[in-house]
CSV table of all heavy atoms in Angstrom, one decimal:
chain,number,residue,atom,x,y,z
A,1,PRO,N,-99.4,75.3,30.2
A,1,PRO,CA,-100.7,75.8,30.7
A,1,PRO,C,-101.0,75.4,32.2
A,1,PRO,O,-100.8,74.2,32.6
A,1,PRO,CB,-101.8,75.1,29.8
A,1,PRO,CG,-101.0,74.9,28.5
A,1,PRO,CD,-99.6,74.6,28.9
A,2,MET,N,-101.3,76.3,33.0
A,2,MET,CA,-101.7,76.2,34.4
A,2,MET,C,-100.5,75.9,35.3
A,2,MET,O,-100.6,75.6,36.5
A,2,MET,CB,-102.7,75.1,34.6
A,2,MET,CG,-104.1,75.4,34.0
A,2,MET,SD,-104.9,76.8,34.9
A,2,MET,CE,-105.8,75.9,36.1
A,3,ALA,N,-99.3,76.1,34.8
A,3,ALA,CA,-98.1,76.0,35.7
A,3,ALA,C,-98.1,77.2,36.6
A,3,ALA,O,-98.5,78.3,36.2
A,3,ALA,CB,-96.8,76.0,34.8
A,4,VAL,N,-97.7,76.9,37.9
A,4,VAL,CA,-97.5,78.0,38.8
A,4,VAL,C,-96.0,78.2,39.0
A,4,VAL,O,-95.3,77.3,39.4
A,4,VAL,CB,-98.2,77.6,40.2
A,4,VAL,CG1,-98.1,78.8,41.1
A,4,VAL,CG2,-99.6,77.2,40.0
A,5,VAL,N,-95.6,79.5,38.7
A,5,VAL,CA,-94.2,79.8,38.7
A,5,VAL,C,-93.9,80.9,39.6
A,5,VAL,O,-94.7,81.8,39.8
A,5,VAL,CB,-93.7,80.1,37.3
A,5,VAL,CG1,-93.7,78.9,36.4
A,5,VAL,CG2,-94.6,81.2,36.6
A,6,ASP,N,-92.7,80.9,40.2
A,6,ASP,CA,-92.1,82.1,41.0
A,6,ASP,C,-91.3,82.9,40.0
A,6,ASP,O,-90.4,82.3,39.4
A,6,ASP,CB,-91.3,81.6,42.1
A,6,ASP,CG,-92.1,80.8,43.2
A,6,ASP,OD1,-93.3,81.0,43.3
A,6,ASP,OD2,-91.4,80.0,43.9
A,7,LEU,N,-91.6,84.2,39.9
A,7,LEU,CA,-90.9,85.0,38.9
A,7,LEU,C,-90.2,86.2,39.6
A,7,LEU,O,-90.7,86.7,40.6
A,7,LEU,CB,-91.9,85.6,37.9
A,7,LEU,CG,-92.8,84.7,37.1
A,7,LEU,CD1,-93.8,85.4,36.2
A,7,LEU,CD2,-91.9,83.7,36.2
A,8,VAL,N,-89.1,86.5,39.1
A,8,VAL,CA,-88.4,87.8,39.4
A,8,VAL,C,-88.5,88.6,38.1
A,8,VAL,O,-88.0,88.2,37.0
A,8,VAL,CB,-86.9,87.6,39.8
A,8,VAL,CG1,-86.3,89.0,40.0
A,8,VAL,CG2,-86.8,86.7,41.0
A,9,THR,N,-89.2,89.7,38.2
A,9,THR,CA,-89.5,90.5,36.9
A,9,THR,C,-89.1,91.9,37.0
A,9,THR,O,-88.8,92.5,38.1
A,9,THR,CB,-91.1,90.5,36.7
A,9,THR,OG1,-91.7,91.3,37.7
A,9,THR,CG2,-91.6,89.1,36.8
A,10,ASP,N,-89.0,92.5,35.9
A,10,ASP,CA,-88.8,94.0,35.7
A,10,ASP,C,-90.0,94.6,35.2
A,10,ASP,O,-90.3,94.5,34.0
A,10,ASP,CB,-87.6,94.2,34.8
A,10,ASP,CG,-87.3,95.7,34.6
A,10,ASP,OD1,-87.8,96.5,35.4
A,10,ASP,OD2,-86.6,96.0,33.6
A,11,GLN,N,-90.8,95.2,36.1
A,11,GLN,CA,-92.1,95.8,35.7
A,11,GLN,C,-92.0,97.3,35.4
A,11,GLN,O,-91.5,98.1,36.2
A,11,GLN,CB,-93.1,95.6,36.9
A,11,GLN,CG,-93.4,94.2,37.3
A,11,GLN,CD,-94.3,93.5,36.4
A,11,GLN,OE1,-94.0,92.4,36.0
A,11,GLN,NE2,-95.4,94.0,36.1
A,12,GLN,N,-92.4,97.6,34.2
A,12,GLN,CA,-92.3,99.0,33.7
A,12,GLN,C,-93.7,99.4,33.2
A,12,GLN,O,-94.3,98.8,32.3
A,12,GLN,CB,-91.3,99.2,32.6
A,12,GLN,CG,-89.9,98.8,32.9
A,12,GLN,CD,-89.3,99.8,33.9
A,12,GLN,OE1,-89.7,101.0,33.9
A,12,GLN,NE2,-88.3,99.4,34.6
A,13,SER,N,-94.3,100.4,33.9
A,13,SER,CA,-95.7,100.7,33.6
A,13,SER,C,-96.0,101.1,32.2
A,13,SER,O,-97.1,100.9,31.6
A,13,SER,CB,-96.2,101.9,34.5
A,13,SER,OG,-95.4,103.0,34.3
A,14,LYS,N,-95.0,101.7,31.5
A,14,LYS,CA,-95.2,102.1,30.1
A,14,LYS,C,-95.0,101.0,29.1
A,14,LYS,O,-95.2,101.2,27.9
A,14,LYS,CB,-94.3,103.3,29.8
A,14,LYS,CG,-94.6,104.5,30.6
A,14,LYS,CD,-93.7,105.7,30.2
A,14,LYS,CE,-94.0,107.0,31.1
A,14,LYS,NZ,-93.1,108.1,30.7
A,15,ARG,N,-94.6,99.8,29.6
A,15,ARG,CA,-94.2,98.8,28.7
A,15,ARG,C,-95.4,97.7,28.6
A,15,ARG,O,-95.9,97.3,29.6
A,15,ARG,CB,-92.9,98.1,29.2
A,15,ARG,CG,-92.3,97.2,28.1
A,15,ARG,CD,-90.8,97.0,28.5
A,15,ARG,NE,-90.7,96.3,29.9
A,15,ARG,CZ,-89.6,96.3,30.6
A,15,ARG,NH1,-88.5,96.9,30.1
A,15,ARG,NH2,-89.5,95.7,31.8
A,16,GLU,N,-95.8,97.4,27.4
A,16,GLU,CA,-96.9,96.5,27.2
A,16,GLU,C,-96.5,95.0,27.5
A,16,GLU,O,-97.2,94.3,28.1
A,16,GLU,CB,-97.4,96.5,25.8
A,16,GLU,CG,-98.6,95.7,25.5
A,16,GLU,CD,-99.2,95.9,24.1
A,16,GLU,OE1,-98.8,96.9,23.5
A,16,GLU,OE2,-100.0,95.0,23.7
A,17,LEU,N,-95.3,94.6,27.2
A,17,LEU,CA,-94.7,93.3,27.4
A,17,LEU,C,-93.6,93.5,28.5
A,17,LEU,O,-92.6,94.1,28.2
A,17,LEU,CB,-94.2,92.6,26.2
A,17,LEU,CG,-95.3,92.3,25.1
A,17,LEU,CD1,-94.6,91.8,23.8
A,17,LEU,CD2,-96.2,91.3,25.6
A,18,GLN,N,-93.8,92.8,29.6
A,18,GLN,CA,-92.8,93.0,30.7
A,18,GLN,C,-91.7,91.9,30.5
A,18,GLN,O,-91.7,91.1,29.6
A,18,GLN,CB,-93.5,92.8,32.0
A,18,GLN,CG,-94.6,93.7,32.3
A,18,GLN,CD,-94.2,95.2,32.3
A,18,GLN,OE1,-93.1,95.5,32.6
A,18,GLN,NE2,-95.2,96.1,32.0
A,19,ARG,N,-90.6,92.0,31.4
A,19,ARG,CA,-89.5,91.2,31.2
A,19,ARG,C,-89.4,90.2,32.5
A,19,ARG,O,-89.6,90.7,33.6
A,19,ARG,CB,-88.2,92.0,31.1
A,19,ARG,CG,-88.2,93.0,30.0
A,19,ARG,CD,-88.0,92.3,28.6
A,19,ARG,NE,-87.8,93.2,27.5
A,19,ARG,CZ,-88.8,93.8,26.8
A,19,ARG,NH1,-90.0,93.5,27.1
A,19,ARG,NH2,-88.5,94.6,25.9
A,20,ILE,N,-88.9,89.0,32.2
A,20,ILE,CA,-88.7,88.0,33.3
A,20,ILE,C,-87.2,87.9,33.5
A,20,ILE,O,-86.5,87.6,32.5
A,20,ILE,CB,-89.3,86.7,33.0
A,20,ILE,CG1,-90.8,86.8,32.8
A,20,ILE,CG2,-89.0,85.7,34.1
A,20,ILE,CD1,-91.5,85.5,32.3
A,21,HIS,N,-86.7,88.0,34.7
A,21,HIS,CA,-85.3,87.8,35.0
A,21,HIS,C,-85.0,86.4,35.5
A,21,HIS,O,-83.9,85.9,35.2
A,21,HIS,CB,-84.8,88.9,36.0
A,21,HIS,CG,-84.6,90.2,35.4
A,21,HIS,ND1,-83.3,90.8,35.1
A,21,HIS,CD2,-85.4,91.2,34.9
A,21,HIS,CE1,-83.4,92.0,34.6
A,21,HIS,NE2,-84.7,92.2,34.4
A,22,GLU,N,-85.9,85.9,36.3
A,22,GLU,CA,-85.7,84.5,36.8
A,22,GLU,C,-87.1,83.9,36.9
A,22,GLU,O,-88.1,84.5,37.1
A,22,GLU,CB,-85.0,84.5,38.2
A,22,GLU,CG,-83.6,85.1,38.2
A,22,GLU,CD,-83.1,85.1,39.6
A,22,GLU,OE1,-83.4,84.1,40.4
A,22,GLU,OE2,-82.3,85.9,40.0
A,23,ALA,N,-87.1,82.5,36.7
A,23,ALA,CA,-88.3,81.8,36.8
A,23,ALA,C,-88.0,80.4,37.4
A,23,ALA,O,-87.0,79.8,37.0
A,23,ALA,CB,-89.0,81.7,35.5
A,24,LYS,N,-88.9,79.9,38.2
A,24,LYS,CA,-88.8,78.5,38.7
A,24,LYS,C,-90.2,78.1,39.1
A,24,LYS,O,-91.1,78.9,39.4
A,24,LYS,CB,-87.9,78.4,39.9
A,24,LYS,CG,-88.3,79.1,41.1
A,24,LYS,CD,-87.3,78.9,42.3
A,24,LYS,CE,-87.8,79.6,43.5
A,24,LYS,NZ,-86.8,79.4,44.6
A,25,LEU,N,-90.5,76.8,39.1
A,25,LEU,CA,-91.8,76.3,39.5
A,25,LEU,C,-92.0,76.5,41.0
A,25,LEU,O,-91.1,76.4,41.9
A,25,LEU,CB,-91.9,74.8,39.3
A,25,LEU,CG,-92.0,74.3,37.8
A,25,LEU,CD1,-92.0,72.8,37.8
A,25,LEU,CD2,-93.3,74.8,37.2
A,26,SER,N,-93.2,76.9,41.4
A,26,SER,CA,-93.6,77.1,42.8
A,26,SER,C,-93.7,75.8,43.5
A,26,SER,O,-93.3,75.8,44.7
A,26,SER,CB,-94.9,77.8,42.9
A,26,SER,OG,-94.9,79.1,42.4
């Protein structure tokens, strides 16, 4: 909770749940 993260994501407008490709703390 309340972690701030840098994400690389694959955003698809028709998809309800998106995908994360990379994540690290900001």
Side-chain angles (χ1 to χ4, degrees):
M2 294 292 271
V4 185
V5 290
D6 294 336
L7 301 178
V8 177
T9 70
D10 177 17
Q11 301 283 130
Q12 301 288 336
S13 59
K14 295 182 180 179
R15 196 161 58 197
E16 185 174 344
L17 295 173
Q18 305 298 335
R19 303 289 189 269
I20 302 173
H21 282 254
E22 295 180 33
K24 64 179 182 179
L25 287 177
S26 294

